[in-house]
Amino acid sequence: MSTAHEVMARDNSKHSWSADPYADALRAGRGPLFLRRSDGWLLPLDVERWCARADAVDQQVLGRCEGAVLDVGCGPGRLVTELAAQGRTALGIDVSEAAVAHTLDLGGPALRRSVFEPLPGEGRWNTALLLDDNLGIGGDPRALLRRLTQLVLPGGLLIAETVPADVDERADVRIVRGPAPRGATEATFRWARLGTPALLRYARPLGWRTVDQWSAGGRCFVSLRSRSTDSTAEPPNSTAVISSQRARKPSADRPVADS
Protein backbone atom coordinates (compact mmCIF):
# COMPACT_ATOMS: atom_id res chain seq x y z
CA MET A 1 0.00 0.00 0.00
CA SER A 2 1.35 3.43 -0.94
CA THR A 3 2.44 5.89 1.71
CA ALA A 4 1.96 9.63 1.45
CA HIS A 5 5.69 10.11 0.94
CA GLU A 6 5.70 7.61 -1.92
CA VAL A 7 2.89 9.54 -3.58
CA MET A 8 4.79 12.79 -3.17
CA ALA A 9 7.89 11.24 -4.71
CA ARG A 10 6.14 10.04 -7.84
CA ASP A 11 3.60 12.85 -8.27
CA ASN A 12 4.73 15.50 -10.74
CA SER A 13 1.59 17.63 -10.52
CA LYS A 14 3.37 20.30 -8.46
CA HIS A 15 5.14 21.53 -11.59
CA SER A 16 2.04 21.21 -13.78
CA TRP A 17 -0.25 23.26 -11.53
CA SER A 18 2.47 25.92 -11.14
CA ALA A 19 3.03 26.43 -14.87
CA ASP A 20 1.07 27.81 -17.80
CA PRO A 21 -1.78 27.58 -18.72
CA TYR A 22 -3.13 27.23 -15.15
CA ALA A 23 -1.19 30.22 -13.84
CA ASP A 24 -2.35 32.36 -16.78
CA ALA A 25 -5.99 31.43 -16.16
CA LEU A 26 -5.77 32.35 -12.48
CA ARG A 27 -4.14 35.68 -13.27
CA ALA A 28 -6.87 36.42 -15.82
CA GLY A 29 -9.60 35.09 -13.54
CA ARG A 30 -11.23 33.07 -16.32
CA GLY A 31 -10.92 30.00 -18.55
CA PRO A 32 -11.50 28.02 -20.57
CA LEU A 33 -9.30 25.46 -18.82
CA PHE A 34 -9.53 21.67 -18.71
CA LEU A 35 -7.93 18.50 -17.41
CA ARG A 36 -7.40 16.32 -20.48
CA ARG A 37 -6.98 12.54 -20.42
CA SER A 38 -4.91 10.72 -23.01
CA ASP A 39 -8.10 9.54 -24.73
CA GLY A 40 -9.18 13.15 -25.29
CA TRP A 41 -11.82 13.31 -22.53
CA LEU A 42 -11.97 16.81 -21.02
CA LEU A 43 -12.90 17.85 -17.47
CA PRO A 44 -13.82 21.56 -17.37
CA LEU A 45 -12.17 23.52 -14.55
CA ASP A 46 -14.42 26.20 -13.07
CA VAL A 47 -11.84 28.98 -12.96
CA GLU A 48 -14.41 31.80 -12.86
CA ARG A 49 -16.05 30.38 -9.73
CA TRP A 50 -12.70 29.69 -8.10
CA CYS A 51 -11.61 33.30 -8.66
CA ALA A 52 -14.91 34.81 -7.50
CA ARG A 53 -15.96 35.49 -3.92
CA ALA A 54 -17.31 32.62 -1.84
CA ASP A 55 -20.90 31.96 -2.96
CA ALA A 56 -23.92 30.74 -1.01
CA VAL A 57 -22.93 27.08 -1.38
CA ASP A 58 -19.41 27.85 -0.17
CA GLN A 59 -20.82 29.73 2.81
CA GLN A 60 -22.85 26.66 3.79
CA VAL A 61 -19.65 24.62 3.78
CA LEU A 62 -17.72 27.20 5.77
CA GLY A 63 -20.54 27.33 8.31
CA ARG A 64 -19.94 23.63 9.04
CA CYS A 65 -16.22 24.10 9.69
CA GLU A 66 -14.94 23.77 13.24
CA GLY A 67 -12.07 25.68 14.82
CA ALA A 68 -8.88 26.16 12.84
CA VAL A 69 -9.31 25.28 9.15
CA LEU A 70 -6.73 23.94 6.68
CA ASP A 71 -7.84 24.46 3.05
CA VAL A 72 -5.96 21.85 0.99
CA GLY A 73 -5.50 22.97 -2.61
CA CYS A 74 -6.85 26.45 -1.85
CA GLY A 75 -6.42 27.70 -5.43
CA PRO A 76 -6.90 31.48 -5.73
CA GLY A 77 -8.14 31.57 -2.16
CA ARG A 78 -11.83 32.46 -2.07
CA LEU A 79 -12.54 30.13 0.89
CA VAL A 80 -9.57 30.87 3.11
CA THR A 81 -9.97 34.59 2.40
CA GLU A 82 -13.60 34.46 3.50
CA LEU A 83 -12.65 32.57 6.66
CA ALA A 84 -10.00 35.17 7.46
CA ALA A 85 -12.51 37.97 6.86
CA GLN A 86 -14.79 36.32 9.41
CA GLY A 87 -11.94 36.41 11.92
CA ARG A 88 -11.48 32.64 11.88
CA THR A 89 -8.15 30.85 12.02
CA ALA A 90 -7.36 29.37 8.62
CA LEU A 91 -4.51 28.51 6.26
CA GLY A 92 -4.61 27.70 2.57
CA ILE A 93 -1.97 25.53 0.92
CA ASP A 94 -1.40 25.13 -2.80
CA VAL A 95 1.45 24.08 -5.09
CA SER A 96 0.75 26.91 -7.52
CA GLU A 97 2.75 30.11 -7.09
CA ALA A 98 0.05 32.07 -8.92
CA ALA A 99 -2.69 30.67 -6.65
CA VAL A 100 -0.80 31.54 -3.48
CA ALA A 101 0.02 35.03 -4.76
CA HIS A 102 -3.66 35.62 -5.60
CA THR A 103 -4.72 34.47 -2.13
CA LEU A 104 -2.20 36.72 -0.41
CA ASP A 105 -3.28 39.69 -2.52
CA LEU A 106 -6.85 39.13 -1.30
CA GLY A 107 -5.63 39.14 2.30
CA GLY A 108 -5.93 35.41 2.89
CA PRO A 109 -3.22 33.38 4.67
CA ALA A 110 -1.54 30.91 2.28
CA LEU A 111 1.53 28.75 1.94
CA ARG A 112 3.06 27.33 -1.23
CA ARG A 113 3.34 23.70 -0.22
CA SER A 114 2.11 20.26 -1.21
CA VAL A 115 -0.17 18.50 1.26
CA PHE A 116 2.42 15.71 1.33
CA GLU A 117 5.19 18.04 2.52
CA PRO A 118 5.72 19.16 6.15
CA LEU A 119 3.06 21.68 7.20
CA PRO A 120 2.48 23.99 10.17
CA GLY A 121 0.26 22.64 12.93
CA GLU A 122 0.35 19.00 11.87
CA GLY A 123 -2.05 16.94 13.96
CA ARG A 124 -3.71 20.07 15.40
CA TRP A 125 -6.10 21.32 12.70
CA ASN A 126 -9.78 21.10 13.65
CA THR A 127 -11.06 20.98 10.06
CA ALA A 128 -9.55 20.14 6.67
CA LEU A 129 -11.21 21.10 3.38
CA LEU A 130 -10.92 19.18 0.10
CA LEU A 131 -13.17 21.08 -2.28
CA ASP A 132 -13.18 21.87 -6.02
CA ASP A 133 -12.07 18.41 -7.25
CA ASN A 134 -9.17 18.31 -4.76
CA LEU A 135 -9.94 14.71 -3.80
CA GLY A 136 -7.96 14.04 -6.97
CA ILE A 137 -4.68 15.33 -5.56
CA GLY A 138 -1.88 12.81 -6.11
CA GLY A 139 -4.14 10.31 -7.85
CA ASP A 140 -4.18 8.05 -4.77
CA PRO A 141 -7.24 8.63 -2.51
CA ARG A 142 -6.06 6.24 0.20
CA ALA A 143 -2.74 8.04 0.57
CA LEU A 144 -4.41 11.44 0.60
CA LEU A 145 -6.94 10.42 3.25
CA ARG A 146 -4.19 8.79 5.31
CA ARG A 147 -2.18 12.01 5.14
CA LEU A 148 -5.18 14.01 6.34
CA THR A 149 -5.47 11.81 9.42
CA GLN A 150 -1.98 13.11 10.27
CA LEU A 151 -2.99 16.74 9.79
CA VAL A 152 -6.25 16.99 11.76
CA LEU A 153 -6.47 16.44 15.48
CA PRO A 154 -8.09 13.23 16.80
CA GLY A 155 -11.80 13.57 16.16
CA GLY A 156 -11.11 16.31 13.60
CA LEU A 157 -13.38 17.08 10.67
CA LEU A 158 -12.84 16.60 6.94
CA ILE A 159 -15.24 18.23 4.47
CA ALA A 160 -14.79 16.92 0.93
CA GLU A 161 -16.52 17.67 -2.35
CA THR A 162 -17.29 14.61 -4.46
CA VAL A 163 -18.31 13.97 -8.06
CA PRO A 164 -22.15 13.92 -8.32
CA ALA A 165 -22.11 10.32 -9.61
CA ASP A 166 -20.83 6.91 -8.48
CA VAL A 167 -17.33 7.42 -9.90
CA ASP A 168 -14.01 5.89 -8.88
CA GLU A 169 -11.29 6.47 -11.42
CA ARG A 170 -7.63 7.34 -11.77
CA ALA A 171 -6.02 8.74 -14.92
CA ASP A 172 -2.98 10.55 -16.27
CA VAL A 173 -4.08 14.06 -17.18
CA ARG A 174 -2.63 17.32 -18.41
CA ILE A 175 -3.86 20.91 -18.03
CA VAL A 176 -4.95 22.45 -21.33
CA ARG A 177 -6.83 25.53 -22.54
CA GLY A 178 -8.93 23.44 -24.90
CA PRO A 179 -8.82 20.25 -26.98
CA ALA A 180 -5.07 19.66 -27.20
CA PRO A 181 -3.53 19.11 -30.63
CA ARG A 182 -1.64 15.93 -31.38
CA GLY A 183 1.88 15.95 -30.07
CA ALA A 184 1.02 18.18 -27.09
CA THR A 185 3.98 18.42 -24.76
CA GLU A 186 2.29 19.48 -21.49
CA ALA A 187 3.44 17.31 -18.58
CA THR A 188 0.98 14.67 -17.40
CA PHE A 189 0.25 13.82 -13.78
CA ARG A 190 -1.95 11.40 -11.86
CA TRP A 191 -5.43 12.54 -10.85
CA ALA A 192 -8.45 10.88 -9.26
CA ARG A 193 -12.21 11.42 -9.41
CA LEU A 194 -14.43 10.06 -6.65
CA GLY A 195 -18.15 9.99 -6.05
CA THR A 196 -19.46 9.75 -2.50
CA PRO A 197 -19.71 5.92 -2.40
CA ALA A 198 -16.07 5.56 -3.47
CA LEU A 199 -14.88 8.14 -0.95
CA LEU A 200 -16.63 6.30 1.87
CA ARG A 201 -15.11 2.97 0.78
CA TYR A 202 -11.62 4.45 1.07
CA ALA A 203 -12.28 6.47 4.22
CA ARG A 204 -13.85 3.90 6.55
CA PRO A 205 -10.87 1.52 6.83
CA LEU A 206 -8.70 4.53 7.75
CA GLY A 207 -10.90 5.39 10.73
CA TRP A 208 -12.99 8.15 9.17
CA ARG A 209 -16.70 7.99 10.03
CA THR A 210 -19.47 9.73 8.12
CA VAL A 211 -21.01 12.78 9.77
CA ASP A 212 -23.20 14.05 6.94
CA GLN A 213 -23.81 14.01 3.18
CA TRP A 214 -25.56 16.78 1.27
CA SER A 215 -25.97 18.44 -2.12
CA ALA A 216 -26.32 22.13 -2.95
CA GLY A 217 -26.10 24.10 -6.16
CA GLY A 218 -25.41 20.96 -8.18
CA ARG A 219 -22.40 20.10 -5.97
CA CYS A 220 -22.05 17.13 -3.58
CA PHE A 221 -20.33 17.11 -0.20
CA VAL A 222 -19.41 14.70 2.59
CA SER A 223 -18.24 15.50 6.10
CA LEU A 224 -16.16 12.88 7.91
CA ARG A 225 -14.69 12.73 11.39
CA SER A 226 -11.34 11.14 12.15
CA ARG A 227 -10.78 8.46 14.75
CA SER A 228 -10.79 9.89 18.28
CA THR A 229 -8.25 9.12 20.98
CA ASP A 230 -8.10 9.82 24.69
CA SER A 231 -5.46 12.49 24.18
CA THR A 232 -6.40 16.15 23.91
CA ALA A 233 -4.49 18.12 21.29
CA GLU A 234 -4.02 21.87 21.50
CA PRO A 235 -5.21 24.01 18.58
CA PRO A 236 -2.61 25.15 16.07
CA ASN A 237 -0.56 28.25 16.77
CA SER A 238 -2.72 30.35 14.49
CA THR A 239 -0.97 33.65 15.13
CA ALA A 240 2.40 32.27 14.07
CA VAL A 241 0.95 30.52 11.04
CA ILE A 242 -0.99 33.46 9.67
CA SER A 243 1.58 36.17 10.33
CA SER A 244 4.32 34.13 8.66
CA GLN A 245 2.27 33.67 5.49
CA ARG A 246 1.78 37.41 5.05
CA ALA A 247 5.41 38.24 5.57
CA ARG A 248 6.51 37.85 1.96
CA LYS A 249 5.38 36.92 -1.52
CA PRO A 250 6.04 33.47 -2.96
CA SER A 251 8.87 32.78 -5.34
CA ALA A 252 9.46 29.97 -7.80
CA ASP A 253 12.17 28.34 -5.72
CA ARG A 254 10.96 28.68 -2.15
CA PRO A 255 7.74 28.39 -0.15
CA VAL A 256 5.97 31.45 1.22
CA ALA A 257 7.10 30.53 4.72
CA ASP A 258 9.03 27.76 6.37
CA SER A 259 7.64 25.71 9.22
Side-chain angles (χ1 to χ4, degrees):
M1 183 176 294
S2 300
T3 67
H5 293 291
E6 288 170 342
V7 171
M8 182 181 70
R10 69 171 182 261
D11 180 20
N12 65 349
S13 63
K14 187 169 186 177
H15 171 74
S16 299
W17 287 104
S18 298
D20 299 337
Y22 179 68
D24 288 343
L26 291 193
R27 293 187 186 103
R30 62 181 183 274
L33 200 67
F34 305 87
L35 291 183
R36 184 183 189 274
R37 287 192 318 219
S38 58
D39 62 4
W41 179 87
L42 295 172
L43 173 67
L45 300 178
D46 200 352
V47 178
E48 288 84 357
R49 180 171 61 81
W50 298 350
C51 291
R53 297 185 62 180
D55 61 20
V57 176
D58 296 327
Q59 294 287 3
Q60 290 179 28
V61 172
L62 299 183
R64 293 170 178 258
C65 293
E66 301 171 353
V69 181
L70 179 67
D71 185 4
V72 178
C74 67
R78 76 186 190 284
L79 300 175
V80 71
T81 299
E82 177 62 25
L83 287 167
Q86 295 175 7
R88 303 174 67 177
T89 300
L91 174 66
I93 59 168
D94 204 286
V95 298
S96 165
E97 179 182 355
V100 171
H102 192 283
T103 303
L104 293 171
D105 286 341
L106 292 177
L111 177 69
R112 189 183 179 196
R113 196 75 61 87
S114 165
V115 66
F116 296 113
E117 295 176 323
L119 295 173
E122 293 206 11
R124 292 177 286 150
W125 293 97
N126 300 92
T127 304
L129 296 177
L130 273 178
L131 305 186
D132 302 331
D133 300 315
N134 283 325
L135 271 172
I137 290 173
D140 187 334
R142 288 188 184 89
L144 180 58
L145 291 167
R146 188 181 302 114
R147 173 60 175 149
L148 289 170
T149 65
Q150 301 169 349
L151 295 175
V152 300
L153 53 75
L157 194 67
L158 167 63
I159 302 179
E161 184 171 354
T162 58
V163 176
D166 190 359
V167 174
D168 183 2
E169 63 182 27
R170 248 79 67 223
D172 291 323
V173 299
R174 53 169 50 92
I175 302 172
V176 297
R177 293 184 177 90
R182 290 185 178 179
T185 59
E186 295 92 343
T188 61
F189 55 94
R190 294 293 289 173
W191 199 250
R193 297 178 69 239
L194 298 181
T196 296
L199 170 60
L200 299 182
R201 285 196 300 271
Y202 291 120
R204 286 168 181 149
L206 297 174
W208 294 99
R209 63 176 179 85
T210 306
V211 176
D212 199 5
Q213 304 176 38
W214 72 99
S215 298
R219 300 164 63 189
C220 296
F221 304 92
V222 180
S223 59
L224 304 165
R225 196 169 296 281
S226 68
R227 181 184 292 112
S228 298
T229 68
D230 292 334
S231 62
T232 301
E234 297 180 357
N237 187 344
S238 57
T239 302
V241 170
I242 294 177
S243 63
S244 67
Q245 313 320 316
R246 294 179 175 172
R248 61 180 186 268
K249 296 290 185 180
S251 66
D253 58 355
R254 72 183 182 186
V256 177
D258 299 318
S259 60

Coordinates of all heavy atoms in Angstrom, one line a residue, residues 98-134:
A98 N 1.1 31.1 -8.6 CA 0.0 32.1 -8.9 C -1.1 32.0 -8.0 O -1.7 33.1 -7.6 CB -0.4 31.8 -10.4
A99 N -1.6 30.8 -7.6 CA -2.7 30.7 -6.6 C -2.4 31.3 -5.3 O -3.2 32.0 -4.7 CB -3.1 29.2 -6.5
V100 N -1.2 31.0 -4.8 CA -0.8 31.5 -3.5 C -0.7 33.1 -3.5 O -1.1 33.8 -2.6 CB 0.5 30.9 -3.0 CG1 1.1 31.6 -1.8 CG2 0.3 29.4 -2.7
A101 N -0.1 33.6 -4.6 CA 0.0 35.0 -4.8 C -1.4 35.7 -4.8 O -1.6 36.7 -4.2 CB 0.8 35.4 -6.0
H102 N -2.3 35.1 -5.5 CA -3.7 35.6 -5.6 C -4.3 35.6 -4.2 O -5.0 36.6 -3.8 CB -4.5 34.8 -6.6 CG -5.8 35.4 -7.0 ND1 -6.9 35.3 -6.2 CD2 -6.2 36.0 -8.1 CE1 -7.9 35.9 -6.8 NE2 -7.5 36.3 -8.0
T103 N -4.1 34.6 -3.5 CA -4.7 34.5 -2.1 C -4.1 35.5 -1.2 O -4.9 36.2 -0.5 CB -4.5 33.1 -1.5 OG1 -5.0 32.1 -2.4 CG2 -5.1 32.9 -0.2
L104 N -2.8 35.7 -1.2 CA -2.2 36.7 -0.4 C -2.7 38.1 -0.8 O -2.9 39.0 0.1 CB -0.7 36.6 -0.5 CG 0.0 35.3 0.0 CD1 1.4 35.3 -0.4 CD2 -0.2 35.3 1.5
D105 N -2.8 38.4 -2.1 CA -3.3 39.7 -2.5 C -4.7 40.0 -2.0 O -5.0 41.2 -1.8 CB -3.3 39.8 -4.0 CG -1.9 39.9 -4.6 OD1 -0.9 40.3 -3.8 OD2 -1.7 39.6 -5.8
L106 N -5.5 39.0 -1.8 CA -6.9 39.1 -1.3 C -6.9 39.3 0.2 O -7.9 39.6 0.8 CB -7.7 37.9 -1.7 CG -8.1 37.8 -3.2 CD1 -8.9 36.5 -3.4 CD2 -8.8 39.0 -3.7
G107 N -5.7 39.0 0.9 CA -5.6 39.1 2.3 C -5.8 37.8 3.0 O -5.9 37.8 4.3
G108 N -5.8 36.7 2.3 CA -5.9 35.4 2.9 C -4.6 34.8 3.2 O -3.6 35.1 2.5
P109 N -4.5 34.0 4.3 CA -3.2 33.4 4.7 C -3.0 32.2 3.8 O -3.9 31.3 3.6 CB -3.4 33.0 6.1 CG -4.9 32.8 6.2 CD -5.5 33.8 5.3
A110 N -1.8 32.0 3.2 CA -1.5 30.9 2.3 C -0.1 30.5 2.3 O 0.8 31.4 2.5 CB -2.0 31.3 0.9
L111 N 0.2 29.3 2.0 CA 1.5 28.7 1.9 C 1.7 27.9 0.7 O 0.8 27.1 0.3 CB 1.8 27.8 3.2 CG 3.1 27.1 3.3 CD1 4.2 28.1 3.6 CD2 3.0 26.1 4.4
R112 N 2.8 28.1 0.0 CA 3.1 27.3 -1.2 C 3.7 26.0 -0.8 O 4.9 25.9 -0.5 CB 4.0 28.1 -2.2 CG 4.1 27.3 -3.5 CD 5.1 28.0 -4.5 NE 5.2 27.3 -5.7 CZ 6.1 27.4 -6.6 NH1 7.1 28.3 -6.4 NH2 6.1 26.7 -7.7
R113 N 2.9 25.0 -0.7 CA 3.3 23.7 -0.2 C 2.4 22.6 -0.7 O 1.2 22.8 -0.8 CB 3.4 23.7 1.3 CG 4.2 22.6 2.0 CD 5.7 22.9 1.9 NE 6.1 24.1 2.5 CZ 6.4 24.3 3.8 NH1 6.3 23.3 4.6 NH2 6.8 25.4 4.3
S114 N 2.9 21.4 -1.0 CA 2.1 20.3 -1.2 C 1.6 19.7 0.1 O 2.2 19.8 1.2 CB 3.0 19.2 -1.9 OG 2.3 17.9 -1.8
V115 N 0.4 19.1 0.1 CA -0.2 18.5 1.3 C 0.7 17.4 1.8 O 0.7 17.1 3.0 CB -1.6 18.0 1.0 CG1 -1.6 16.8 0.0 CG2 -2.3 17.6 2.3
F116 N 1.6 16.8 0.9 CA 2.4 15.7 1.3 C 3.8 16.2 1.9 O 4.6 15.4 2.2 CB 2.6 14.8 0.2 CG 1.4 14.1 -0.3 CD1 0.8 14.4 -1.5 CD2 0.7 13.2 0.5 CE1 -0.3 13.8 -2.0 CE2 -0.5 12.6 0.1 CZ -1.0 12.9 -1.1
E117 N 4.0 17.5 1.9 CA 5.2 18.0 2.5 C 4.9 18.5 4.0 O 3.7 18.6 4.4 CB 5.7 19.2 1.7 CG 6.1 18.9 0.3 CD 6.5 20.1 -0.5 OE1 5.8 21.1 -0.4 OE2 7.4 20.0 -1.4
P118 N 5.9 18.7 4.8 CA 5.7 19.2 6.1 C 4.9 20.5 6.2 O 5.1 21.4 5.4 CB 7.1 19.4 6.7 CG 8.0 18.5 5.9 CD 7.4 18.5 4.5
L119 N 4.0 20.5 7.1 CA 3.1 21.7 7.2 C 3.0 22.2 8.6 O 3.2 21.4 9.6 CB 1.7 21.3 6.7 CG 1.5 20.9 5.3 CD1 0.1 20.4 5.0 CD2 1.8 22.1 4.4
P120 N 2.7 23.5 8.8 CA 2.5 24.0 10.2 C 1.3 23.3 10.9 O 0.3 23.0 10.2 CB 2.2 25.5 9.9 CG 2.7 25.8 8.5 CD 2.5 24.5 7.8
G121 N 1.4 23.1 12.1 CA 0.3 22.6 12.9 C -0.2 21.2 12.6 O -1.3 20.9 12.8
E122 N 0.7 20.4 12.2 CA 0.3 19.0 11.9 C -0.2 18.3 13.1 O 0.3 18.3 14.2 CB 1.6 18.2 11.4 CG 2.1 18.7 10.0 CD 2.8 17.6 9.2 OE1 2.7 16.4 9.6 OE2 3.4 18.0 8.2
G123 N -1.4 17.7 12.9 CA -2.1 16.9 14.0 C -2.9 17.8 14.9 O -3.4 17.4 15.9
R124 N -3.0 19.1 14.5 CA -3.7 20.1 15.4 C -4.8 20.9 14.7 O -5.4 21.8 15.3 CB -2.7 21.0 16.1 CG -1.8 20.3 17.1 CD -0.8 21.2 17.7 NE 0.3 21.5 16.7 CZ 0.9 22.7 16.7 NH1 0.6 23.7 17.5 NH2 1.9 22.9 15.8
W125 N -5.0 20.6 13.4 CA -6.1 21.3 12.7 C -7.5 20.7 13.1 O -7.6 19.5 13.1 CB -5.9 21.3 11.2 CG -4.6 22.0 10.8 CD1 -3.4 21.5 10.5 CD2 -4.6 23.4 10.6 NE1 -2.5 22.5 10.2 CE2 -3.2 23.7 10.3 CE3 -5.5 24.5 10.7 CZ2 -2.8 25.0 10.0 CZ3 -5.0 25.8 10.5 CH2 -3.7 26.0 10.1
N126 N -8.4 21.6 13.3 CA -9.8 21.1 13.7 C -10.5 20.6 12.4 O -11.3 19.7 12.5 CB -10.6 22.2 14.3 CG -10.0 22.7 15.6 OD1 -9.2 23.7 15.6 ND2 -10.3 22.0 16.7
T127 N -10.3 21.3 11.3 CA -11.1 21.0 10.1 C -10.1 21.0 8.9 O -9.3 21.9 8.8 CB -12.2 22.0 9.8 OG1 -13.1 22.0 10.9 CG2 -13.0 21.6 8.6
A128 N -10.2 20.1 8.0 CA -9.6 20.1 6.7 C -10.6 20.2 5.6 O -11.6 19.5 5.6 CB -8.6 18.9 6.5
L129 N -10.3 21.0 4.5 CA -11.2 21.1 3.4 C -10.6 20.5 2.2 O -9.4 20.7 1.9 CB -11.5 22.6 3.1 CG -12.3 23.3 4.2 CD1 -12.5 24.8 3.7 CD2 -13.7 22.7 4.4
L130 N -11.3 19.7 1.4 CA -10.9 19.2 0.1 C -12.0 19.5 -0.9 O -12.9 18.6 -1.2 CB -10.7 17.7 0.2 CG -9.3 17.2 0.6 CD1 -9.3 15.7 0.7 CD2 -8.2 17.7 -0.3
L131 N -12.1 20.7 -1.4 CA -13.2 21.1 -2.3 C -12.6 21.3 -3.7 O -11.4 21.2 -4.0 CB -13.8 22.4 -1.8 CG -14.3 22.4 -0.3 CD1 -15.1 23.7 0.0 CD2 -15.2 21.2 -0.1
D132 N -13.6 21.5 -4.6 CA -13.2 21.9 -6.0 C -12.3 20.8 -6.7 O -11.2 21.1 -7.2 CB -12.4 23.2 -6.1 CG -13.3 24.3 -5.5 OD1 -14.5 24.3 -5.6 OD2 -12.7 25.3 -5.0
D133 N -12.8 19.5 -6.6 CA -12.1 18.4 -7.2 C -10.8 18.0 -6.6 O -10.0 17.2 -7.1 CB -11.8 18.7 -8.7 CG -13.0 18.9 -9.5 OD1 -14.0 18.2 -9.4 OD2 -13.0 19.9 -10.4
N134 N -10.5 18.6 -5.4 CA -9.2 18.3 -4.8 C -9.0 16.9 -4.1 O -7.9 16.5 -3.7 CB -8.9 19.4 -3.7 CG -8.4 20.7 -4.4 OD1 -7.7 20.6 -5.4 ND2 -8.8 21.8 -3.8

